[in-house]
Amino acid sequence: MISPESPGTDDPTCSAKGCRDTAVWVLAWNNPKLHTPERRKTWLACEEHREHLSQFLGVRGFLKDVVKLDEWVQPEGSERT
């Protein structure tokens, strides 16, 4: 399971700028110009920001998967950014 918690917090928080809501989604992505094809970086999203963050990554061709946080299994070599 991903360990998205920041030090000193109880719940993982959304990666959207300025948002402190509890994350419920994992957006797995990869920049093919920088990362090997199997590498996955992750952003976390609350319900409100899932679509916006997905679109941001999707138009760039980076988005690989969107999974509920409680169902996410972190692939080896992945990291939260």
Side-chain angles (χ1 to χ4, degrees), residues 50-65:
R50 181 186 64 85
E51 187 62 32
H52 171 74
L53 293 174
S54 294
Q55 287 179 354
F56 179 89
L57 293 168
V59 298
R60 290 159 178 79
F62 294 176
L63 187 63
K64 301 300 179 192
D65 206 2

Side-chain angles (χ1 to χ4, degrees), residues 36-77:
T36 58
E38 65 280 352
R39 184 167 180 197
R40 295 293 180 266
K41 297 186 71 115
T42 58
W43 284 354
L44 301 179
C46 64
E47 287 292 345
E48 180 181 348
H49 291 111
R50 181 186 64 85
E51 187 62 32
H52 171 74
L53 293 174
S54 294
Q55 287 179 354
F56 179 89
L57 293 168
V59 298
R60 290 159 178 79
F62 294 176
L63 187 63
K64 301 300 179 192
D65 206 2
V66 178
V67 179
K68 285 285 230 175
L69 180 62
D70 59 0
E71 297 172 5
W72 173 252
V73 177
Q74 182 173 347
E76 190 171 323

Side-chain angles (χ1 to χ4, degrees), residues 9-37:
T9 63
D10 294 328
D11 295 319
T13 57
C14 181
S15 298
K17 186 175 182 177
C19 184
R20 301 287 29 136
D21 289 346
T22 299
V24 292
W25 295 96
V26 175
L27 286 66
W29 62 278
N30 162 306
N31 180 341
K33 292 182 180 180
L34 302 175
H35 308 124
T36 58

